[in-house]
Amino acid sequence: MFRGKNYRESEKSVDKLNLYDPEEAFALVVSAAKAKFDETVELHIKLGVDSRHADQQVRGAIVLPHGTGKARRVLVFCKEERVQEALDAGADFAGGQDMVDKIQKENFFDYDVVVATPDMMGTVGRLGKVLGPKGLMPTPKAGTVTPNIAQAVAEIKAGKIEYRLDRTNIIHCPIGKVSFGPEKLIDNYTALLDAVIKAKPAAAKGQYIRSCVTASTMGPGVKINAMKQM
């Protein structure tokens, strides 16, 4: 794979075989970010579980201490009498069957998170085939199926993220922007890793955290010594 000049220069500062303490890891990520835009910093956590088994799933949600640095657009599915409540809470879009029709007929996907009240899930369930593959289907585990619209919207706007295993048993999550600086990134990293550790399934055997890597959008991966959190 061809890598740009900036990437190759940044890569020289990172020892791919070394496990860095969080303080040094995030200092490296920030200093290695050379793009002209504010790069997103992501965390990739490989777990010693098997996502094919229901009793080894790892999934949840957490409000990061400093947010993600990205404004997230929220769609709320609710009854007509609660639409204004959702909009007053900060939702970008809110509705019921009208929103279902808009998604089905107009391919409307100008939002990042979907929240639904429990009494709307019978209606929203019909959108599973289009929302599911995009990771937008509301779920109680992520706190996006709830009667408390205001709290859900406020937490999402404050930086609540959902974490879940992919098919390769890795969790991928944004934890901020390069402009946050190392200290805020460490706070967000610590909060997310602690949540993942607490979510360890009872069926998980052996080493739980297999590897932990952070990287900015255009920068090289930096391996973190996650055992310091265990």
Side-chain angles (χ1 to χ4, degrees):
M1 180 184 296
F2 175 78
R3 298 289 192 180
K5 180 181 177 181
N6 287 340
Y7 181 94
R8 295 197 302 271
E9 286 297 317
S10 297
E11 194 175 32
K12 293 177 182 177
S13 65
V14 178
D15 182 348
K16 292 184 177 181
L17 299 179
N18 189 44
L19 286 178
Y20 292 93
D21 286 343
E23 294 79 8
E24 191 173 4
F26 287 104
L28 273 173
V29 167
V30 170
S31 65
K34 306 294 184 184
K36 295 180 180 179
F37 61 92
D38 192 7
E39 298 179 48
T40 295
V41 177
E42 292 192 344
L43 193 65
H44 310 277
I45 309 170
K46 185 172 181 61
L47 300 180
V49 296
D50 189 340
S51 61
R52 294 173 298 178
H53 300 292
D55 62 352
Q56 294 188 47
Q57 288 294 323
V58 179
R59 182 176 185 177
I62 181 176
V63 178
L64 295 176
H66 305 289
T68 63
K70 178 185 177 182
R72 306 182 82 197
R73 298 162 298 176
V74 181
L75 164 62
V76 175
F77 284 105
C78 58
K79 298 293 186 181
E80 185 177 351
E81 60 269 21
R82 300 195 68 184
V83 167
Q84 193 57 50
E85 177 190 348
L87 296 174
D88 290 344
D92 299 271
F93 312 99
Q97 186 60 48
D98 56 327
M99 283 295 167
V100 173
D101 293 341
K102 190 174 178 67
I103 291 170
Q104 291 179 326
K105 298 175 182 179
E106 302 175 27
N107 289 321
F108 173 59
F109 295 109
D110 293 337
Y111 41 87
D112 305 295
V113 185
V114 177
V115 174
T117 53
D119 56 5
M120 286 298 297
M121 284 309 293
T123 301
V124 177
R126 298 199 294 269
L127 296 172
K129 289 184 178 179
V130 292
L131 294 181
K134 295 179 181 292
L136 292 170
M137 194 65 187
T139 168
K141 287 186 177 180
T144 47
V145 176
T146 173
N148 195 334
I149 296 172
Q151 180 180 344
V153 173
E155 289 179 346
I156 292 165
K157 292 290 186 177
K160 185 177 186 177
I161 60 167
E162 182 181 356
Y163 59 87
R164 61 185 299 179
L165 282 178
D166 67 8
R167 293 179 180 178
T168 61
N169 305 316
I170 299 176
I171 289 173
H172 309 272
C173 277
I175 57 169
K177 297 284 187 178
V178 166
S179 60
F180 282 20
E183 290 186 5
K184 288 184 178 180
L185 290 171
I186 290 171
D187 287 345
N188 282 356
Y189 152 81
T190 301
L192 176 58
L193 193 62
D194 283 349
V196 172
I197 291 171
K198 289 177 182 176
K200 180 180 179 179
K205 305 298 180 184
Q207 185 178 349
Y208 181 52
I209 304 290
R210 295 290 178 86
S211 67
C212 190
V213 178
T214 184
S216 63
T217 305
M218 306 295 287
V222 180
K223 295 180 180 178
I224 303 176
N225 179 14
M227 295 305 292
K228 292 193 72 174
Q229 299 294 121
M230 302 293 282

